[in-house]
Amino acid sequence: MRKLLFGKSLGSVESFLTIMPQIFVFLIMFQLVFMQFNLMRDTHLSQGELANTAIVGGSDQYSRYQLLGGGSVLLLENRKLIPKFIDFINPNSRRVIAIAVDEDESN
């Protein structure tokens, strides 16, 4: 029985050469999905933080640009490092921008 079990598990070079590119493409696609998810998550969190700041007032991390008819536009710009699965040495940096309109300049 032992010979039969080990005899069936032997592979060939051709099967290895077929599977390796598929694994490589899968890992690259998984990395792209993971990086895009992190970017979208950071964008949504920054946008929510800035919208809350425009409503309630507060934080000085944003830039304020005055509008002609009154009010202002708030701009929050952050640089985020996104870790990678394939290249651990050089993390990917992304710029996350959030924009909100503040109608009440007293905030």
Side-chain angles (χ1 to χ4, degrees):
M1 184 66 171
R2 191 172 188 182
K3 268 187 179 178
L4 183 61
L5 184 63
F6 285 125
K8 287 186 176 181
S9 66
L10 292 176
S12 64
V13 175
E14 290 85 9
S15 64
F16 176 75
L17 292 175
T18 303
I19 291 174
M20 282 310 294
Q22 293 174 359
I23 291 173
F24 185 69
V25 168
F26 171 76
L27 289 176
I28 288 175
M29 292 305 294
F30 186 72
Q31 165 137 0
L32 292 174
V33 167
F34 178 75
M35 288 172 56
Q36 186 65 26
F37 172 75
N38 279 338
L39 177 66
M40 294 306 294
R41 181 193 57 171
D42 291 338
T43 302
H44 286 295
L45 290 176
S46 296
Q47 186 66 39
E49 176 187 337
L50 190 63
N52 188 27
T53 301
I55 294 170
V56 178
S59 176
D60 292 332
Q61 297 176 348
Y62 55 85
S63 303
R64 183 180 290 268
Y65 298 100
Q66 299 297 327
L67 295 174
L68 292 177
S72 59
V73 173
L74 304 178
L75 180 69
L76 178 65
E77 184 174 346
N78 291 333
R79 286 262 182 213
K80 301 280 184 175
L81 293 178
I82 300 174
K84 295 190 230 177
F85 289 120
I86 296 174
D87 185 12
F88 296 110
I89 298 170
N90 303 319
N92 192 12
S93 75
R94 296 282 184 165
R95 186 173 68 165
V96 177
I97 299 174
I99 299 173
V101 176
D102 185 9
E103 295 177 359
D104 184 15
E105 293 183 20
S106 63
N107 286 340

